[in-house]
Amino acid sequence: MFLQQTTPNTFSYMIAGYAVLAVVLGVYLASFFARFRNLKRDLEVLEEIDQ
Amino acid sequence: MNPKPRWLNILDTLTTIFFVVAVLLVFVYAPMERTMGAVQKVFYFHVATAWVGMLGFMVAAVVGVLYLIKGEQKYDIMGLAAIEISLVFFFVAIIMGSIWARPIWNTWWTWDPRLTTATIVELIYAAYLMLRQGIEDPDRRARFGAVYAVLGFLSVPLTFISIRMLRTIHPVVVGNSDPGAEGSFSMSGPMKTAFFFSLFTFSVLFVDLFWHRFRMGKLAAKVEELRLKISA
């Protein structure tokens, strides 16, 4: 009898890999926009105090 | 704060288009690898994220040298921007690699030369961000950051050559793998297209994020300057 090599089912690992990419980049971008917004707010307040 | 440049808007749009095309190439155009199955598709973005990580660390070293020569604040802001982005991408590369390794190497992690040196790189640059936080004087912080970025970069080529010089189970994409490497495969034409387009897309994504992060860095410097002025 011949040994038959079948393609393993590694679909769940592929999903997990790309989910990590999506989540980490998503969190980074969210933190990025939050920091940007906070800095803009800080600048407005500081400029008011400075005047 | 200067308004967002038109070119940055164009770059945002191009990056989004390239990213969608890269995803389609990886999931639709590139064929399924026979011995590894679907998990092989992790390889395209795993290498691309690792590439962006190394690219950013190199940019940080270059602007670190420029800061030490010229002493201009913009180089410090660029260095911080490059390292922050690269740290995120390099972290993703390590985790994606670990997920790929589970079905292929039958383990989530092994202290292989590539995995070990990559972890060291990640920790070196994580320490960079933490140590920067501890220095209040902006000039001292920038000088420290520049020297650290230049010295820290020594760990990056070490990671790159680790799979070419040492015995390892980590496959080599460009060049010959170690005979003990597990998970090697030869790329077909469509696989090469998906791979190189992913590298290109992530390089463009890096430039786009770097530009945004640089603008934010300039804003942060302005806020810090005003704070110091008011508190003086």
Side-chain angles (χ1 to χ4, degrees), chain B residues 68-89:
Chain B
L68 293 173
I69 295 169
K70 298 185 176 181
E72 291 174 25
Q73 192 196 31
K74 67 177 178 186
Y75 295 117
D76 177 51
I77 298 170
M78 284 181 189
L80 176 61
I83 287 177
E84 187 187 285
I85 296 163
S86 290
L87 203 59
V88 172
F89 279 88

PDB file of all heavy atoms in Angstrom, chain B residues 68-89:
ATOM      1  N   LEU B  68      23.300  63.325  16.096  1.00  0.00           N
ATOM      2  CA  LEU B  68      24.578  63.543  16.787  1.00  0.00           C
ATOM      3  C   LEU B  68      25.466  64.527  16.010  1.00  0.00           C
ATOM      4  O   LEU B  68      26.255  65.259  16.601  1.00  0.00           O
ATOM      5  CB  LEU B  68      25.307  62.211  16.996  1.00  0.00           C
ATOM      6  CG  LEU B  68      24.619  61.253  17.975  1.00  0.00           C
ATOM      7  CD1 LEU B  68      25.314  59.901  17.997  1.00  0.00           C
ATOM      8  CD2 LEU B  68      24.568  61.839  19.386  1.00  0.00           C
ATOM      9  N   ILE B  69      25.331  64.543  14.692  1.00  0.00           N
ATOM     10  CA  ILE B  69      26.133  65.469  13.873  1.00  0.00           C
ATOM     11  C   ILE B  69      25.523  66.875  13.884  1.00  0.00           C
ATOM     12  O   ILE B  69      26.191  67.862  14.139  1.00  0.00           O
ATOM     13  CB  ILE B  69      26.241  64.948  12.410  1.00  0.00           C
ATOM     14  CG1 ILE B  69      27.032  63.628  12.385  1.00  0.00           C
ATOM     15  CG2 ILE B  69      26.931  65.976  11.506  1.00  0.00           C
ATOM     16  CD1 ILE B  69      26.970  62.894  11.049  1.00  0.00           C
ATOM     17  N   LYS B  70      24.213  66.950  13.615  1.00  0.00           N
ATOM     18  CA  LYS B  70      23.566  68.259  13.421  1.00  0.00           C
ATOM     19  C   LYS B  70      22.855  68.803  14.662  1.00  0.00           C
ATOM     20  O   LYS B  70      22.621  70.017  14.749  1.00  0.00           O
ATOM     21  CB  LYS B  70      22.563  68.175  12.261  1.00  0.00           C
ATOM     22  CG  LYS B  70      23.242  67.831  10.938  1.00  0.00           C
ATOM     23  CD  LYS B  70      22.260  67.877   9.798  1.00  0.00           C
ATOM     24  CE  LYS B  70      22.968  67.639   8.478  1.00  0.00           C
ATOM     25  NZ  LYS B  70      22.075  67.690   7.340  1.00  0.00           N
ATOM     26  N   GLY B  71      22.448  67.913  15.560  1.00  0.00           N
ATOM     27  CA  GLY B  71      21.776  68.351  16.787  1.00  0.00           C
ATOM     28  C   GLY B  71      20.384  68.927  16.574  1.00  0.00           C
ATOM     29  O   GLY B  71      19.875  69.641  17.431  1.00  0.00           O
ATOM     30  N   GLU B  72      19.753  68.593  15.449  1.00  0.00           N
ATOM     31  CA  GLU B  72      18.405  69.126  15.185  1.00  0.00           C
ATOM     32  C   GLU B  72      17.338  68.205  15.773  1.00  0.00           C
ATOM     33  O   GLU B  72      17.418  66.978  15.609  1.00  0.00           O
ATOM     34  CB  GLU B  72      18.188  69.281  13.677  1.00  0.00           C
ATOM     35  CG  GLU B  72      19.045  70.374  13.078  1.00  0.00           C
ATOM     36  CD  GLU B  72      18.947  70.426  11.555  1.00  0.00           C
ATOM     37  OE1 GLU B  72      17.925  69.986  10.998  1.00  0.00           O
ATOM     38  OE2 GLU B  72      19.915  70.909  10.941  1.00  0.00           O
ATOM     39  N   GLN B  73      16.342  68.836  16.406  1.00  0.00           N
ATOM     40  CA  GLN B  73      15.312  68.082  17.118  1.00  0.00           C
ATOM     41  C   GLN B  73      14.522  67.145  16.210  1.00  0.00           C
ATOM     42  O   GLN B  73      14.069  66.076  16.644  1.00  0.00           O
ATOM     43  CB  GLN B  73      14.363  69.064  17.806  1.00  0.00           C
ATOM     44  CG  GLN B  73      13.438  68.420  18.796  1.00  0.00           C
ATOM     45  CD  GLN B  73      12.281  69.334  19.164  1.00  0.00           C
ATOM     46  OE1 GLN B  73      11.831  70.143  18.360  1.00  0.00           O
ATOM     47  NE2 GLN B  73      11.828  69.228  20.393  1.00  0.00           N
ATOM     48  N   LYS B  74      14.380  67.535  14.935  1.00  0.00           N
ATOM     49  CA  LYS B  74      13.543  66.718  14.038  1.00  0.00           C
ATOM     50  C   LYS B  74      14.089  65.291  13.902  1.00  0.00           C
ATOM     51  O   LYS B  74      13.327  64.339  13.738  1.00  0.00           O
ATOM     52  CB  LYS B  74      13.400  67.378  12.667  1.00  0.00           C
ATOM     53  CG  LYS B  74      14.664  67.445  11.846  1.00  0.00           C
ATOM     54  CD  LYS B  74      14.386  68.050  10.487  1.00  0.00           C
ATOM     55  CE  LYS B  74      15.696  68.149   9.700  1.00  0.00           C
ATOM     56  NZ  LYS B  74      15.555  68.853   8.445  1.00  0.00           N
ATOM     57  N   TYR B  75      15.413  65.133  14.023  1.00  0.00           N
ATOM     58  CA  TYR B  75      15.994  63.789  13.894  1.00  0.00           C
ATOM     59  C   TYR B  75      15.653  62.932  15.109  1.00  0.00           C
ATOM     60  O   TYR B  75      15.491  61.715  15.000  1.00  0.00           O
ATOM     61  CB  TYR B  75      17.509  63.872  13.691  1.00  0.00           C
ATOM     62  CG  TYR B  75      17.874  64.529  12.386  1.00  0.00           C
ATOM     63  CD1 TYR B  75      18.594  65.721  12.355  1.00  0.00           C
ATOM     64  CD2 TYR B  75      17.477  63.970  11.181  1.00  0.00           C
ATOM     65  CE1 TYR B  75      18.903  66.338  11.151  1.00  0.00           C
ATOM     66  CE2 TYR B  75      17.774  64.574   9.977  1.00  0.00           C
ATOM     67  CZ  TYR B  75      18.485  65.765   9.965  1.00  0.00           C
ATOM     68  OH  TYR B  75      18.781  66.368   8.774  1.00  0.00           O
ATOM     69  N   ASP B  76      15.547  63.576  16.262  1.00  0.00           N
ATOM     70  CA  ASP B  76      15.145  62.840  17.469  1.00  0.00           C
ATOM     71  C   ASP B  76      13.701  62.373  17.329  1.00  0.00           C
ATOM     72  O   ASP B  76      13.371  61.228  17.652  1.00  0.00           O
ATOM     73  CB  ASP B  76      15.302  63.743  18.701  1.00  0.00           C
ATOM     74  CG  ASP B  76      14.839  63.046  19.967  1.00  0.00           C
ATOM     75  OD1 ASP B  76      15.287  61.902  20.207  1.00  0.00           O
ATOM     76  OD2 ASP B  76      14.023  63.621  20.711  1.00  0.00           O
ATOM     77  N   ILE B  77      12.853  63.262  16.811  1.00  0.00           N
ATOM     78  CA  ILE B  77      11.436  62.913  16.623  1.00  0.00           C
ATOM     79  C   ILE B  77      11.308  61.757  15.616  1.00  0.00           C
ATOM     80  O   ILE B  77      10.529  60.825  15.805  1.00  0.00           O
ATOM     81  CB  ILE B  77      10.630  64.154  16.160  1.00  0.00           C
ATOM     82  CG1 ILE B  77      10.677  65.251  17.238  1.00  0.00           C
ATOM     83  CG2 ILE B  77       9.192  63.786  15.834  1.00  0.00           C
ATOM     84  CD1 ILE B  77      10.118  66.593  16.794  1.00  0.00           C
ATOM     85  N   MET B  78      12.128  61.829  14.552  1.00  0.00           N
ATOM     86  CA  MET B  78      12.095  60.760  13.537  1.00  0.00           C
ATOM     87  C   MET B  78      12.548  59.426  14.132  1.00  0.00           C
ATOM     88  O   MET B  78      11.964  58.373  13.850  1.00  0.00           O
ATOM     89  CB  MET B  78      13.022  61.113  12.373  1.00  0.00           C
ATOM     90  CG  MET B  78      12.489  62.143  11.431  1.00  0.00           C
ATOM     91  SD  MET B  78      13.712  62.406  10.123  1.00  0.00           S
ATOM     92  CE  MET B  78      13.011  63.821   9.325  1.00  0.00           C
ATOM     93  N   GLY B  79      13.582  59.482  14.955  1.00  0.00           N
ATOM     94  CA  GLY B  79      14.110  58.260  15.570  1.00  0.00           C
ATOM     95  C   GLY B  79      13.070  57.586  16.444  1.00  0.00           C
ATOM     96  O   GLY B  79      12.849  56.368  16.354  1.00  0.00           O
ATOM     97  N   LEU B  80      12.395  58.384  17.249  1.00  0.00           N
ATOM     98  CA  LEU B  80      11.351  57.840  18.131  1.00  0.00           C
ATOM     99  C   LEU B  80      10.210  57.259  17.301  1.00  0.00           C
ATOM    100  O   LEU B  80       9.707  56.165  17.598  1.00  0.00           O
ATOM    101  CB  LEU B  80      10.830  58.946  19.067  1.00  0.00           C
ATOM    102  CG  LEU B  80       9.672  58.556  19.980  1.00  0.00           C
ATOM    103  CD1 LEU B  80      10.071  57.430  20.922  1.00  0.00           C
ATOM    104  CD2 LEU B  80       9.189  59.762  20.783  1.00  0.00           C
ATOM    105  N   ALA B  81       9.829  57.979  16.242  1.00  0.00           N
ATOM    106  CA  ALA B  81       8.736  57.513  15.370  1.00  0.00           C
ATOM    107  C   ALA B  81       9.079  56.162  14.751  1.00  0.00           C
ATOM    108  O   ALA B  81       8.277  55.221  14.785  1.00  0.00           O
ATOM    109  CB  ALA B  81       8.467  58.546  14.268  1.00  0.00           C
ATOM    110  N   ALA B  82      10.296  56.060  14.211  1.00  0.00           N
ATOM    111  CA  ALA B  82      10.712  54.821  13.536  1.00  0.00           C
ATOM    112  C   ALA B  82      10.738  53.654  14.514  1.00  0.00           C
ATOM    113  O   ALA B  82      10.266  52.549  14.196  1.00  0.00           O
ATOM    114  CB  ALA B  82      12.078  55.013  12.895  1.00  0.00           C
ATOM    115  N   ILE B  83      11.267  53.886  15.712  1.00  0.00           N
ATOM    116  CA  ILE B  83      11.381  52.783  16.677  1.00  0.00           C
ATOM    117  C   ILE B  83      10.006  52.349  17.185  1.00  0.00           C
ATOM    118  O   ILE B  83       9.734  51.151  17.291  1.00  0.00           O
ATOM    119  CB  ILE B  83      12.329  53.176  17.838  1.00  0.00           C
ATOM    120  CG1 ILE B  83      13.767  53.169  17.309  1.00  0.00           C
ATOM    121  CG2 ILE B  83      12.186  52.217  19.026  1.00  0.00           C
ATOM    122  CD1 ILE B  83      14.817  53.606  18.284  1.00  0.00           C
ATOM    123  N   GLU B  84       9.145  53.303  17.457  1.00  0.00           N
ATOM    124  CA  GLU B  84       7.808  52.934  17.957  1.00  0.00           C
ATOM    125  C   GLU B  84       7.064  52.056  16.947  1.00  0.00           C
ATOM    126  O   GLU B  84       6.527  51.001  17.300  1.00  0.00           O
ATOM    127  CB  GLU B  84       6.999  54.194  18.257  1.00  0.00           C
ATOM    128  CG  GLU B  84       5.678  53.872  18.928  1.00  0.00           C
ATOM    129  CD  GLU B  84       4.799  55.096  19.072  1.00  0.00           C
ATOM    130  OE1 GLU B  84       5.094  55.930  19.940  1.00  0.00           O
ATOM    131  OE2 GLU B  84       3.830  55.215  18.311  1.00  0.00           O
ATOM    132  N   ILE B  85       7.076  52.466  15.681  1.00  0.00           N
ATOM    133  CA  ILE B  85       6.364  51.702  14.642  1.00  0.00           C
ATOM    134  C   ILE B  85       7.009  50.323  14.473  1.00  0.00           C
ATOM    135  O   ILE B  85       6.333  49.294  14.419  1.00  0.00           O
ATOM    136  CB  ILE B  85       6.361  52.475  13.299  1.00  0.00           C
ATOM    137  CG1 ILE B  85       5.587  53.777  13.434  1.00  0.00           C
ATOM    138  CG2 ILE B  85       5.782  51.630  12.182  1.00  0.00           C
ATOM    139  CD1 ILE B  85       5.871  54.781  12.327  1.00  0.00           C
ATOM    140  N   SER B  86       8.334  50.310  14.409  1.00  0.00           N
ATOM    141  CA  SER B  86       9.043  49.047  14.189  1.00  0.00           C
ATOM    142  C   SER B  86       8.837  48.061  15.322  1.00  0.00           C
ATOM    143  O   SER B  86       8.750  46.858  15.093  1.00  0.00           O
ATOM    144  CB  SER B  86      10.540  49.312  14.024  1.00  0.00           C
ATOM    145  OG  SER B  86      10.751  49.949  12.805  1.00  0.00           O
ATOM    146  N   LEU B  87       8.767  48.580  16.523  1.00  0.00           N
ATOM    147  CA  LEU B  87       8.552  47.726  17.690  1.00  0.00           C
ATOM    148  C   LEU B  87       7.221  46.978  17.562  1.00  0.00           C
ATOM    149  O   LEU B  87       7.142  45.786  17.847  1.00  0.00           O
ATOM    150  CB  LEU B  87       8.557  48.606  18.948  1.00  0.00           C
ATOM    151  CG  LEU B  87       8.891  47.959  20.277  1.00  0.00           C
ATOM    152  CD1 LEU B  87      10.261  47.319  20.258  1.00  0.00           C
ATOM    153  CD2 LEU B  87       8.844  49.001  21.384  1.00  0.00           C
ATOM    154  N   VAL B  88       6.197  47.685  17.103  1.00  0.00           N
ATOM    155  CA  VAL B  88       4.871  47.074  16.933  1.00  0.00           C
ATOM    156  C   VAL B  88       4.931  45.990  15.851  1.00  0.00           C
ATOM    157  O   VAL B  88       4.473  44.859  16.047  1.00  0.00           O
ATOM    158  CB  VAL B  88       3.809  48.151  16.572  1.00  0.00           C
ATOM    159  CG1 VAL B  88       2.477  47.511  16.214  1.00  0.00           C
ATOM    160  CG2 VAL B  88       3.637  49.143  17.718  1.00  0.00           C
ATOM    161  N   PHE B  89       5.536  46.325  14.717  1.00  0.00           N
ATOM    162  CA  PHE B  89       5.587  45.375  13.603  1.00  0.00           C
ATOM    163  C   PHE B  89       6.469  44.166  13.933  1.00  0.00           C
ATOM    164  O   PHE B  89       6.156  43.039  13.559  1.00  0.00           O
ATOM    165  CB  PHE B  89       6.063  46.065  12.323  1.00  0.00           C
ATOM    166  CG  PHE B  89       4.968  46.811  11.631  1.00  0.00           C
ATOM    167  CD1 PHE B  89       4.678  48.120  11.947  1.00  0.00           C
ATOM    168  CD2 PHE B  89       4.191  46.185  10.666  1.00  0.00           C
ATOM    169  CE1 PHE B  89       3.654  48.810  11.327  1.00  0.00           C
ATOM    170  CE2 PHE B  89       3.153  46.854  10.033  1.00  0.00           C
ATOM    171  CZ  PHE B  89       2.884  48.171  10.365  1.00  0.00           C
TER     172      PHE B  89
END
